[in-house]
Structure formats: structure tokens, C-alpha cells
Amino acid sequence: MVQINSSRGKPKSLAVLIALLKRKLIKAFSDNRNVLDECALINTRRIYLISIIAIPLHIISILLFAFAKSEDVTWRHGIIGSHTVLLIFMAGFLLASRKLRKRTTPNMVMFVLQYVLVAVIMTLGIVIVVIDQMVMTSITVFLLICIIVGIILLIRPLASLIIYATSYMVYFVLLTLTTTDPLVLLSNRVNGVIAVGIGFFLSCILWHYNYMNIMQMRRIEAQQKQLEQMAYYDPLTDLPNRRLLEKLIKREIASIRRYGHETAVIILDIDNFKSINDTYGHPVGDNMLRQFADFLIANVRKSDTVARFGGEEFIILMPQTSAEEGCIFAERLRKLIMEKHFTVGSITLQTTCSFGVSSMRDIIDCDSLDDYYFLADRALYMAKQNGKNRVEKACASAGV
């Protein structure tokens, strides 16, 4: 019985191993796809640089072979023709990548361009090696193109394997066109395996290195965004907090001083919010605040800023808006809030708000940032004193 169970356990263990390997391969393939966009951007910039370097090198090669004294005219013309075709392609790659390299997001042309470059380099490199066999047995050019493709372009391992395997099959077949010595043919084919092996190995190393760099940069960016979120945004409502608002106000002050436009500041406070917390509890109050924040965002312009000022107070910064226009907007918002139903579970809540409105131009020369809230805050106080659920406009000359 023990032996039977043991023999049955072996296929089971093999199945588990195969399943684990399959999951790892799927994860690796998925992870590789996650960085294709960044690699396409990097490859496009590298194609531009490669083209700049390759164009003069091909011109020099053409001139050297054109003036070289050789009895084998076919070989010389073949090499000149190959370099001429490469020169034309490189000029095309230069023109195509010149504008594309400035993009911050990849497009389909960039993905296609990198593989077209590989196909052109590998194909014409093999052609040059085959032509060289007319006068020599060296395959140095094939080795060089395998290395160049491997260390310059970021190609994911699966695509790289297909490229190098296909290139070797083409190389394997075309060598017979000009190589007549069986021993030389065998040697060059064996050396070709080494060349594609080196190229593929370098390609995998480069891909892995850049993959790790890209993923590390993503983690750093995510951490920076998280820190920024913690520093500048309210954790309950995800609205800008007072710290971020002060930065935006400084920027708006500079804009007002430069262009002379008006900017309205609106401070609003939820009336009798304490009674909601006392009656239903703080979780219900917090849920309502989140819904209220979403409601404000949905009813302001994209150019406006809604921030949580503290507790149940919110502030709206409205660039290029006069105090009168701010009052009109606040009145419309006040009526919308009165009609709004906030639902928390089985609880339905309605509330009202008091508003204070001021213009930043009235206090443009003040020294403290707190002064920019002063008039709107005083107007809000008056709205509360005069019965709540109303809009009050600040008057700079009267101090309120």
C-alpha cells in the first residue's frame, strides 16, 4: 500500500511542479508586458541615436569600398549595395524617430518601428556575411549585429528568442549560397550558434536590468504619490487640505498681481453638523462628509479648487471670478444642497449650509496667508449669526 501511494504521489508532484512553473511563466510574461510602453519610449530614443551614428559610418563604408581596388567586382558591388540599402533605411529611421522621441506616451508606430529596425539590421547583416563568404570565411559582421541588437534595443525575452532563432535559420540557409567548402560551412554555422547565443544572452540581461529599473522607479513614484497624498490631501475626503490650499493660493496671488483678474474665495460650513454626529454617530457623519465632498466636486468648474478647511468647513477657490459672481454661484449651490439627500445605509439625511464670499483682490497686499481667509470667514460668521442657510458677501471697506 505504501508503494502504491508513493507511485501515485510522483505524478501528483510532477503536476504541481508543472502548474507552479506555468504560473511563474504566466506571471513573468504579464510582468514583461507591463513595461512595454516604457521600453518602446526608450527604444525610440535609442533608434534616433543609432541612426545618427550609423548614417556617417555607412557613408564612409560605401566610399571606402567604392575606391577600394578589388578583383572581385561582384563582392565589392554587393557590399556597397548592402550598405547603401542600410543607409537609406537609417535615414528613414532617423526621420521617423526624430519626432517620435519627444512623445511621452508610446503609439503603435513606435512599437512597429523597433521591430522593423531589428529586421532590417539582422537581414542586411546576414546578407553582408553571405556576400563576404565570396572572399573570406569570417562571420564577424553577424556576431556584431547579434551583439548590437542585444545591447542596444530593449526586447522582451520571448520576442528576442523568436528574433534570434529566425535570424539563425535564415543565416543557416543563406550561407550555402556562397560557401562551398563543407568544413568552412560547418564552422560558420557553429560559430553562428555562438553569435546568436551571445546576442540572446545579452538581450535577456539588458531586459532584466531595465525591467528592474523601471519597476523600482514605479515603486518610488508610487511612494512619492503616497507621501504627497498624506501631506497635501485630507485622508477622509481626499480633498486638498489646508497645506496644499496655501500653495495654490500663493500661485493664485502671483497670477492676480500679474494679470489683474479677480478670484473669489468661498467658505461654507454645514449647519448643525454636530447634531448629526450626536444622533447617528461619527461613522455616519464621516460618510456624509465624503458624500458632501463628492457633491461639491461635481458642482464646481474644473478650474476651481475645493478643499477641506477643517471639520465640516470647506473652501472653494474660484479663479477669474468676481465676488458678485461668487455669490451667485454660492446661492445656487446653497439651494442644491438643500435639495440633496445623503444616504448612509438606511439613514437619509438632509442639511443646509452657510456661505461666506470674498474677493482676493480686496486683500491682495496682506502679509499673512491667513488674511486671505479673513474676509470670507467673517462673512461666514455673519451668515451663521443671521440665521444660517444663507450667503453673505464680505465688504473690505467695512471690515466684513
Side-chain angles (χ1 to χ4, degrees):
M1 292 295 294
V2 175
Q3 291 179 351
I4 293 174
N5 290 335
S6 175
S7 62
R8 289 179 179 177
K10 289 180 181 179
K12 186 176 181 180
S13 299
L14 180 61
V16 171
L17 182 62
I18 292 173
L20 180 62
L21 180 60
K22 182 179 178 181
R23 283 197 299 269
K24 287 187 175 182
L25 287 174
I26 293 174
K27 184 179 183 301
F29 183 77
S30 176
D31 290 343
N32 287 337
R33 287 180 62 87
N34 289 336
V35 298
L36 288 181
D37 287 354
E38 289 91 338
C39 290
L41 294 172
I42 295 172
N43 282 342
T44 302
R45 291 190 287 268
R46 292 184 177 183
I47 289 172
Y48 177 74
L49 296 174
I50 292 171
S51 302
I52 292 176
I53 296 172
I55 287 174
L57 292 179
H58 287 305
I59 293 174
I60 293 172
S61 298
I62 292 170
L63 292 175
L64 289 175
F65 281 108
F67 293 103
K69 294 180 180 180
S70 172
E71 296 180 358
D72 197 324
V73 178
T74 304
W75 167 75
R76 187 160 61 90
H77 286 173
I79 297 296
I80 293 173
S82 300
H83 280 286
T84 302
V85 174
L86 273 171
L87 175 62
I88 294 170
F89 270 106
M90 285 301 170
F93 290 134
L94 178 64
L95 294 175
S97 60
R98 184 178 180 182
K99 291 183 178 179
L100 290 174
R101 67 190 174 93
K102 297 179 181 179
R103 291 179 58 92
T104 56
T105 55
N107 58 14
M108 185 57 64
V109 176
M110 298 171 73
F111 285 106
V112 173
L113 188 66
Q114 57 189 354
Y115 290 110
V116 172
L117 175 70
V118 172
V120 169
I121 292 177
M122 296 297 286
T123 301
L124 289 173
I126 292 171
V127 169
I128 291 174
V129 170
V130 172
I131 294 173
D132 275 341
Q133 299 307 300
M134 296 179 180
V135 296
M136 65 185 75
T137 60
S138 172
I139 63 163
T140 304
V141 174
F142 185 63
L143 174 62
L144 287 176
I145 61 172
C146 288
I147 293 175
I148 288 172
V149 170
I151 66 175
I152 292 180
L153 296 177
L154 300 178
I155 304 173
R156 54 180 172 163
L158 179 60
S160 180
L161 178 62
I162 295 172
I163 288 170
Y164 280 105
T166 304
S167 298
Y168 180 75
M169 286 188 289
V170 174
Y171 166 84
F172 184 92
V173 172
L174 293 185
L175 274 182
T176 57
L177 296 177
T178 53
T179 306
T180 56
D181 190 325
L183 295 179
V184 173
L185 180 62
L186 176 62
S187 176
N188 284 345
R189 284 175 170 174
V190 172
N191 290 336
V193 173
I194 296 173
V196 297
I198 292 173
F200 177 68
F201 178 70
L202 292 174
S203 178
C204 291
I205 291 177
L206 183 67
W207 175 267
H208 179 72
Y209 175 78
N210 281 274
Y211 170 81
M212 296 303 293
N213 279 346
I214 291 171
M215 297 306 295
Q216 185 176 6
M217 288 176 62
R218 286 184 181 179
R219 285 192 291 268
I220 292 173
E221 289 176 359
Q223 291 171 355
Q224 288 176 340
K225 288 181 179 179
Q226 186 177 5
L227 291 174
E228 182 180 342
Q229 183 75 18
M230 293 171 61
Y232 293 116
Y233 290 86
D234 174 57
L236 178 65
T237 62
D238 284 335
L239 292 177
N241 60 18
R242 190 161 180 169
R243 181 180 297 177
L244 178 56
L245 180 65
E246 288 178 350
K247 284 193 169 188
L248 297 175
I249 285 177
K250 287 180 180 178
R251 187 186 305 167
E252 189 61 26
I253 291 169
S255 179
I256 293 171
R257 288 173 175 168
R258 182 174 181 180
Y259 300 108
H261 62 74
E262 289 192 74
T263 293
V265 177
I266 301 174
I267 297 182
L268 61 144
D269 181 273
I270 301 176
D271 296 329
N272 305 315
F273 184 75
K274 185 177 182 298
S275 64
I276 296 176
N277 281 334
D278 293 341
T279 303
Y280 302 104
H282 287 280
V284 173
D286 289 347
N287 193 306
M288 180 183 172
L289 285 175
R290 284 192 289 267
Q291 292 185 48
F292 188 81
D294 293 339
F295 174 80
L296 292 179
I297 290 293
N299 284 279
V300 299
R301 303 171 304 182
K302 290 184 178 180
S303 58
D304 300 335
T305 299
V306 180
R308 189 180 179 194
F309 203 52
E312 63 272 21
E313 281 191 352
F314 297 82
I315 189 166
I316 303 175
L317 191 65
M318 303 184 69
Q320 299 186 6
T321 304
S322 66
E324 290 75 15
E325 292 170 331
C327 286
I328 294 172
F329 169 78
E331 181 62 25
R332 181 175 67 85
L333 189 60
R334 183 189 69 82
K335 293 177 180 179
L336 289 174
I337 292 171
M338 286 180 62
E339 299 170 357
K340 173 68 176 175
H341 290 77
F342 299 94
T343 303
V344 183
S346 59
I347 302 170
T348 300
L349 301 170
Q350 281 186 282
T351 189
T352 60
C353 285
S354 301
F355 294 79
V357 184
S358 70
S359 173
M360 287 183 61
R361 288 190 63 183
D362 293 338
I363 42 177
I364 194 64
D365 295 323
C366 63
D367 297 324
S368 172
L369 282 174
D370 291 337
D371 294 335
Y372 290 98
Y373 316 129
F374 175 74
L375 291 180
D377 195 49
R378 290 290 297 167
L380 174 63
Y381 175 79
M382 293 302 299
K384 291 285 189 180
Q385 289 293 103
N386 293 332
K388 302 179 182 180
N389 189 26
R390 58 186 293 117
V391 176
E392 293 285 351
K393 177 190 169 187
C395 178
S397 59
V400 177

